[in-house]
Amino acid sequence: MSEYKRITVAPISGTIGAEISDVDLKDLDKETIAEIRRAFLENTVVFFRDQELTTPEYISFASQFGPFGVEPYVKTMDEYPEVIAVLKEASEVKTINFGGQWHSDWSFQQCPPLATILRGIDIPPYGGDTLFANMTLAYETLSDGMKQIIEPLIAIHSARRPYGTGKSLLGDTDKKAMTIIRSEDAHEEIEHPLVRTHPETGEKSLYVNPVYTIRLKGMSEGDSREILQKLFKHSLQEAFTCRFRWHNKSIAMWDNRCAMHFALNDYDGFRRELHRITIAGEIPFGPAMPKEERDRLQSV
Ligand code: SIN
């Protein structure tokens, strides 16, 4: 790991997450962006504090990491179609919050976002932290036998649990400050390798999550549940996680290819608003995939 010349990077836990300081996100040259990108790859999630940005400046910062992702099922901001306002009003008590279960963003898409960037706008005086889990470490700490069993497996992802037409994981979506768009489209199923190879670092991670991974290919939901629950329990050991305390003007940027995250809902009676942008990703590929198929996916 070489040193950073343009930024200061301080890990916030032994396994995932680092705070980046001595940087003004309004004013970045190519070398500084490259160092931020390196810190992001090395730490899976990076955090910035006290960034005085307007929304257009925030969008411009995000645009330096790639084209924006596609935002389905949630109405984006009227003026800024690339931004979702993640919002729970003080009056929304005893409700389920957006992002309040462990997940990787939009993993049901054929090309799920490589990164998500989130900015604190109106943060409660306490609570509303976000937790992150290192899915590369989760993979690496499995036994060799378990790795061999799971490497060829394909997981089926779908948006139907939160955004489908049946009962929603998000509870009563009509009563939320956020506009949730439920649809038949959310029942579509997409296949991704259970073990994913990171296209930039080459590392392998578990690419499954409790919200969008509905079963394993060739197995019933019941049979899949046993394996998936075991993998989730293993992945969510405290030692593989970090927890971020938000303030207004804080920014987090995480790698959806090798992390899950979870928004805590422990601030009833207070308003919480953050602005979220995703960066478009690639079709996930895994180590069990023939090389020609992997090359084909990478060139899409
Ligand atoms: C999300 O899941 O993208 C939102 C996370 C948060 O609100 O902390």
Side-chain angles (χ1 to χ4, degrees):
M1 222 184 284
S2 57
E3 278 185 16
Y4 294 95
K5 296 196 175 70
R6 305 288 180 127
I7 54 177
T8 303
V9 180
I12 69 158
S13 88
T15 53
I16 177 170
E19 195 159 312
I20 299 183
S21 55
D22 296 325
V23 66
D24 176 357
L25 301 186
K26 271 205 292 280
D27 181 24
L28 295 175
D29 56 22
K30 261 173 49 190
E31 289 76 17
T32 311
I33 292 167
E35 287 206 348
I36 292 173
R37 182 131 197 153
R38 179 154 66 83
F40 159 80
L41 292 175
E42 285 174 359
N43 295 283
T44 310
V45 51
V46 289
F47 308 103
F48 305 89
R49 298 284 189 194
D50 300 318
Q51 295 295 326
E52 218 39 93
L53 300 178
T54 61
T55 304
E57 284 166 346
Y58 172 50
I59 294 170
S60 163
F61 161 69
S63 72
Q64 298 174 89
F65 297 94
F68 300 126
V70 175
E71 305 302 332
Y73 309 124
V74 181
K75 189 174 170 299
T76 54
M77 291 176 76
D78 287 336
E79 267 185 271
Y80 306 108
E82 54 283 89
V83 184
I84 289 178
V86 175
L87 170 65
K88 189 164 88 90
E89 289 290 0
S91 56
E92 292 182 74
V93 293
K94 295 196 169 54
T95 58
I96 301 166
N97 61 327
F98 179 82
Q101 280 121 338
W102 284 102
H103 65 286
S104 173
D105 286 328
W106 302 159
S107 73
F108 53 82
Q109 292 181 327
Q110 190 172 36
C111 295
L114 71 87
T116 301
I117 307 180
L118 194 62
R119 175 165 84 120
I121 301 291
D122 189 9
I123 299 300
Y126 57 81
D129 296 357
T130 307
L131 277 63
F132 298 88
N134 182 333
M135 299 300 278
T136 306
L137 199 53
Y139 168 80
E140 285 170 355
T141 50
L142 291 170
S143 64
D144 288 345
M146 189 64 173
K147 286 180 186 161
Q148 268 176 27
I149 293 172
I150 63 167
E151 277 204 6
L153 298 182
I154 300 291
I156 311 290
H157 296 244
S158 160
R160 76 164 147 77
R161 288 181 181 152
Y163 304 113
T165 52
K167 193 165 182 275
S168 169
L169 270 188
L170 290 168
D172 189 345
T173 49
D174 292 338
K175 295 210 175 111
K176 294 194 178 299
M178 293 175 73
T179 304
I180 307 290
I181 305 152
R182 303 200 22 210
S183 148
E184 281 292 344
D185 296 353
H187 294 255
E188 193 193 340
E189 297 186 350
I190 286 281
E191 296 182 3
H192 292 312
L194 189 155
V195 177
R196 179 173 185 179
T197 306
H198 196 291
E200 294 180 78
T201 65
E203 291 175 330
K204 296 181 206 172
S205 359
L206 294 180
Y207 191 62
V208 280
N209 65 84
V211 174
Y212 301 126
T213 309
I214 54 171
R215 63 173 190 284
L216 299 173
K217 189 172 177 180
M219 287 189 208
S220 66
E221 281 198 33
D223 288 347
S224 312
R225 194 171 303 126
E226 238 176 86
I227 302 175
L228 288 171
Q229 290 301 339
K230 192 174 160 66
L231 294 176
F232 297 148
K233 187 160 181 241
H234 170 78
S235 307
L236 297 174
Q237 295 174 58
E238 289 83 350
F240 301 167
T241 69
C242 71
R243 175 172 176 154
F244 184 61
R245 168 78 196 128
W246 288 98
H247 295 291
N248 295 350
K249 303 178 203 159
S250 301
I251 291 180
M253 175 164 126
W254 62 85
D255 193 333
N256 284 304
R257 300 166 291 189
C258 54
M260 288 201 287
H261 60 282
F262 174 99
L264 269 171
N265 188 12
D266 56 351
Y267 55 94
D268 266 4
F270 294 106
R271 187 174 194 278
R272 178 180 186 269
E273 178 174 358
L274 303 100
H275 288 177
R276 190 181 104 154
I277 298 177
T278 61
I279 305 299
E282 53 289 295
I283 299 180
F285 64 91
M289 205 173 262
K291 187 175 178 318
E292 308 73 61
E293 178 64 359
R294 209 180 303 173
D295 292 345
R296 191 186 65 75
L297 290 180
Q298 275 183 305
S299 66
V300 171

